[in-house]
Amino acid sequence: MVIRIAAVGDVHLDEDVVGRFRPALEEMPNHADVLLLAGDLTRHGTEAEAQCVAREFGGLGVPVVTVLGNHDYQCNEVPQVVEVLEAAGITVLEGNGTVLDCGGSRLGIAGVKGFGGGFAGRCAADFGEPEMKAFVQVSTESADALKAALHSLDCDLLVALTHYSPVPDTLAGEPPEIYAFLGCYQLGQAIDSAPTTLALHGHAHHGTERGTTPGGVRVRNVAHPVIKQAYSVFHLGEHLEPGEVSRMGSLGTRPAWS
C-alpha cells in the first residue's frame, strides 16, 4: 500500500493572494491522500487572514493537517486562527498528533511549530543569562513535545511535521548567520528517537529541499519559495525492509501557480 502525502508551507495568505493555489488544490483527491501544511499559513497571523486560509485549503476532499509558523503568531491571535482553521475542517497540531486511515494503512502525523537554537557546534546553550536559558528552554520543550507525540501514535507510517527545521542540510542557501533562527538540533533528536518515516518543514525560504537527520530520516523543506509549486507529493510505502529506517517513493509535482 502506498500513501500519497501532499505538502507545502509558507503560503503566507491574505486577501491579495487568496485563490491562487485553489485551481491546483481542486485536483488534490486525484493526486494525494492527505495534505500537510508546514506553517506560515498567513502573513501576520490575523483572524481575517486565517479566513483566507480556510477558504483556500478547506473542503479539498482529503484530510488537511497543519502546524502554525512564526508569522501565524505575529498578531497574538493564535486562538482565533486555530478556531477558524478547525471550523474549516483543518486539523491543527501543536505538540500532539493524529492518525489517519489511508486505504487501510494508518498514517501517523506528529506536529509542532518548533523553534530556533541552532545545530551541533553552533547552537545556543542553556547557560548564562535568564534570557538565554529561556530561549533554549522553548527549543527543548518544543522538541520534547514532538518526541512525546511521535511516540504516542499507533500507526504503520510516521511523519513529523514542523515549521522550523530539524537539520542544517535543508537550510543551505540561507545565510549561515541565521541558521540558529531557522531551526534546532533538538527537533532532529526527537525525530530520530522514533521510527519516523519522513520529516517535513518550512520556514527556510532560500533553503534546500532535501536533507537527512543524523539517524537517517529523510527531511524535506516544503516551503513554497523552495518547491515553487502549489504542493509536492511524496509516495510512502507501508512495508519497510528489516533494519531500514524509511523508504520513500517517487516525488510527484503539481504546476506552480502564477
Side-chain angles (χ1 to χ4, degrees):
M1 175 67 190
V2 172
I3 298 177
R4 305 167 301 169
I5 299 175
V8 66
D10 301 82
V11 293
H12 296 287
L13 286 184
D14 62 12
E15 284 289 349
D16 291 337
V17 295
V18 69
R20 293 185 178 179
F21 287 85
R22 193 69 191 195
L25 294 173
E26 294 286 1
E27 303 177 28
M28 182 69 64
N30 296 325
H31 301 286
D33 303 300
V34 59
L35 172 62
L36 305 187
L37 302 175
D40 275 7
L41 311 177
T42 65
R43 287 193 182 276
H44 300 103
T46 67
E47 183 176 358
E49 290 174 348
Q51 294 286 358
C52 295
V53 177
R55 283 154 49 195
E56 195 83 345
F57 292 97
L60 296 182
V62 302
V64 180
V65 180
T66 190
V67 294
L68 300 185
N70 56 304
H71 277 248
D72 305 317
Y73 277 71
Q74 171 63 19
C75 284
N76 298 317
E77 297 183 15
V78 168
Q80 298 96 312
V81 168
V82 171
E83 183 178 1
V84 168
L85 297 179
E86 291 186 339
I90 299 171
T91 300
V92 183
L93 301 179
E94 179 54 43
N96 58 336
T98 187
V99 177
L100 304 176
D101 183 356
C102 297
S105 293
R106 294 166 300 166
L107 174 65
I109 306 156
V112 70
K113 173 177 65 68
F115 200 55
F119 303 92
R122 295 180 175 86
C123 59
D126 183 14
F127 182 87
E129 301 95 327
E131 294 83 359
M132 181 58 73
K133 292 176 182 176
F135 182 92
V136 175
Q137 183 178 0
V138 174
S139 303
T140 302
E141 290 178 350
S142 181
D144 287 346
L146 177 62
K147 179 179 179 179
L150 286 165
H151 284 271
S152 72
L153 300 178
D154 181 13
C155 55
D156 301 309
L157 291 169
L158 185 59
V159 173
L161 179 64
T162 64
H163 182 61
Y164 285 77
S165 176
V167 295
D169 308 18
T170 50
L171 305 182
E174 296 280 4
E177 294 83 1
I178 68 170
Y179 276 27
F181 303 104
L182 297 176
C184 66
Y185 73 90
Q186 292 97 326
L187 291 172
Q189 289 180 333
I191 290 166
D192 280 341
S193 75
T196 312
T197 308
L198 174 67
L200 301 171
H201 75 88
H203 196 35
H205 292 195
H206 302 287
T208 300
E209 186 175 0
R210 295 168 177 262
T212 309
T213 67
V217 178
R218 297 177 185 180
V219 180
R220 297 295 180 262
N221 178 359
V222 294
H224 179 256
V226 172
I227 65 174
K228 295 180 172 63
Q229 55 197 11
Y231 55 87
S232 294
V233 179
F234 304 91
H235 294 181
L236 302 186
E238 177 183 353
H239 301 292
L240 305 181
E241 296 297 328
E244 187 178 1
V245 176
S246 66
R247 183 172 67 195
M248 185 183 302
S250 61
L251 167 65
T253 61
R254 298 299 307 146
W257 51 262
S258 59

